[in-house]
Amino acid sequence: EPEVTQTPSHQVTQMGQEVILRCVPISNHLYFYWYRQILGQKVEFLVSFYNNEISEKSEIFDDQFSVERPDGSNFTLKIRSTKLEDSAMYFCASSERSVGGELFFGEGSRLTVL
Amino acid sequence: AQKVTQAQTEISVVEKEDVTLDCVYETRDTTYYLFWYKQPPSGELVFLIRRNSFDEQNEISGRYSWNFQKSTSSFNFTITASQVVDSAVYFCALGQAGGGYQKVTFGTGTKLQVIP
């Protein structure tokens, strides 16, 4: 069964450092997303991406964040100058359809900022 | 604005009991989608069901059943004869229609503990 894969599964970084979280969406999917879940809290939408551009971003997704699809398979989330409050599980998701399609989530990348 | 409320923060049941997880949503859209996801202790998000706003038929899948009622804006989830493997956090979510993209708003989740 096709799946969304994410790397790394866990990253520990020092405050102020840049991190890149990587995702390989399901190959025939066209819509890509990043969600975030602070420990013990709800899953929050960060950004959606389609046709090589951001479709929508939440208020969380400020200038510190950026997304990119550098090639035909990877979808990355970059966090510049990490802060303690960026510590969370970051989920990548993809869907085949723009609306109503099931979101297929990766297993998440846990980011710990010290 | 879209909102999903899962009033039950934590539920504990004894194995083989039935349990219902409540979900109430708010949206101004006439077309929308509702989802349930399971998050086991390992942390991944597992899709359970999708429902569109035009389909109010209830659904049963094995021990799982869902009751969608537009009149009360509710999409409740029942597990029959619960098992220890059902222990997880369950998220109800609302998908926004239109705009050419999918934005899903999650509830705060209900942590279900099934005690052997």
Side-chain angles (χ1 to χ4, degrees):
Chain A
E1 184 177 321
E3 59 182 17
V4 176
T5 57
Q6 291 185 241
T7 55
S9 56
H10 188 194
Q11 180 156 356
V12 181
T13 190
Q14 294 291 324
M15 192 169 56
Q17 296 295 305
E18 175 181 286
V19 299
I20 296 176
L21 305 179
R22 291 181 169 79
C23 169
V24 178
I26 294 173
S27 61
N28 64 331
H29 287 185
L30 301 176
Y31 302 88
F32 314 117
Y33 313 85
W34 283 101
Y35 283 77
R36 180 181 83 174
Q37 184 182 31
I38 294 172
L39 185 64
Q41 298 186 23
K42 70 176 180 179
V43 180
E44 300 173 292
F45 170 80
L46 289 179
V47 66
S48 60
F49 190 88
Y50 169 70
N51 199 26
N52 282 322
E53 60 184 22
I54 290 174
S55 307
E56 186 181 0
K57 57 185 180 181
S58 71
E59 59 275 9
I60 302 169
F61 194 90
D62 58 21
D63 292 343
Q64 181 195 10
F65 294 90
S66 62
V67 290
E68 194 178 34
R69 189 159 162 81
D71 53 42
S73 60
N74 289 285
F75 178 50
T76 62
L77 174 68
K78 181 188 290 185
I79 309 174
R80 286 181 282 274
S81 189
T82 50
K83 299 178 284 210
L84 296 177
E85 54 265 39
D86 294 328
S87 295
M89 181 76 92
Y90 289 82
F91 289 101
C92 174
S94 68
S95 67
E96 191 174 9
R97 290 157 48 188
S98 61
V99 174
E102 169 190 343
L103 289 183
F104 288 82
F105 284 90
E107 293 190 346
S109 293
R110 180 168 297 284
L111 175 64
T112 302
V113 182
L114 302 176
Chain B
Q2 304 214 125
K3 185 178 177 182
V4 177
T5 301
Q6 294 179 256
Q8 303 151 308
T9 308
E10 288 194 43
I11 301 176
S12 288
V13 299
V14 177
E15 200 172 21
K16 296 184 183 175
E17 284 184 350
D18 298 348
V19 58
T20 296
L21 309 182
D22 298 332
C23 173
V24 174
Y25 62 91
E26 294 176 30
T27 181
R28 292 179 183 168
D29 292 343
T30 54
T31 302
Y32 52 88
Y33 297 82
L34 296 162
F35 305 85
W36 275 94
Y37 283 85
K38 174 182 179 180
Q39 187 175 42
S42 49
E44 71 271 26
L45 287 166
V46 178
F47 167 82
L48 295 177
I49 190 172
R50 172 184 61 239
R51 224 356 148 233
N52 75 53
S53 53
F54 296 110
D55 183 1
E56 286 194 71
Q57 275 195 342
N58 293 326
E59 182 161 337
I60 298 174
S61 175
R63 295 183 299 107
Y64 295 169
S65 62
W66 291 269
N67 184 350
F68 176 30
Q69 292 196 345
K70 283 182 81 170
S71 60
T72 56
S73 297
S74 65
F75 187 44
N76 297 336
F77 173 31
T78 298
I79 302 174
T80 304
S82 58
Q83 300 175 2
V84 172
V85 294
D86 296 327
S87 296
V89 179
Y90 291 85
F91 290 98
C92 180
L94 174 62
Q96 180 177 358
Y101 57 86
Q102 171 90 291
K103 177 181 174 182
V104 177
T105 301
F106 284 78
T108 50
T110 297
K111 183 176 182 180
L112 174 64
Q113 183 177 15
V114 181
I115 303 165

